[in-house]
């Protein structure tokens, strides 16, 4: 792996996160609305063919942020529709993002068991 791949992943991922932080800080949109918008934008950008070149260029810098989750959903749906027809619209997104969903569940449960929550004073 070339060191420039790391640099590209870092700056693209950082730019995506910085733009999102500006939206959280400077707009009246709730963080939840911004995060959901990122997933929808990722789906849209993949659907029109714009996001794949960014993934090819930045790797994890483009796939780890929430835009990347939308990209994974759209890619999974496209593959499932090609294989199963209309049924793929309903099953492809979950299949395409299954790894991320499973990791979120496993690590969420693990940290819930290990954490010692304290109330804020």
């Amino acid at each position: 792996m070339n060191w420039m791949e790391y640099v590209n992943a870092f700056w693209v991922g950082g730019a995506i996160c910085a733009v999102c932080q500006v939206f959280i800080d400077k707009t009246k949109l709730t963080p939840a609305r911004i995060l959901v918008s990122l997933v929808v934008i990722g789906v849209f950008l993949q659907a029109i063919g714009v996001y794949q070149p960014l993934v090819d260029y930045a790797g994890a810098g483009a796939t780890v942020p929430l835009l990347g989750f939308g990209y994974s959903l759209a890619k999974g749906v496209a593959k499932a529709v090609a294989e199963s027809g209309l049924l793929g619209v309903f099953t492809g997104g979950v299949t395409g993002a299954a790894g991320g969903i499973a990791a979120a569940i496993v690590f969420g449960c693990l940290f819930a068991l290990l954490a010692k929550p304290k109330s804020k004073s």
Side-chain angles (χ1 to χ4, degrees), residues 82-108:
E83 294 172 357
S84 306
L86 186 60
L87 183 62
V89 171
F90 302 105
T91 62
V94 175
T95 304
I101 294 168
I105 291 170
V106 168
F107 289 117

Side-chain angles (χ1 to χ4, degrees), residues 15-103:
I16 291 169
C17 293
V19 168
C20 295
Q21 189 63 49
V22 169
F23 277 110
I24 290 171
D25 292 343
K26 301 295 182 184
T27 67
K28 292 185 178 184
L29 293 171
T30 63
R33 288 179 189 242
I34 293 169
L35 297 176
V36 169
S37 297
L38 288 171
V39 174
V40 172
I41 291 168
V43 169
F44 177 74
L45 291 176
Q46 176 60 18
I48 63 172
V50 175
Y51 207 73
Q52 186 62 51
L54 184 62
V55 169
D56 294 340
Y57 175 75
T63 58
V64 172
L66 278 174
L67 287 170
F69 183 69
Y71 155 79
S72 295
L73 290 173
K75 194 171 179 183
V77 168
K79 181 179 177 189
V81 166
E83 294 172 357
S84 306
L86 186 60
L87 183 62
V89 171
F90 302 105
T91 62
V94 175
T95 304
I101 294 168

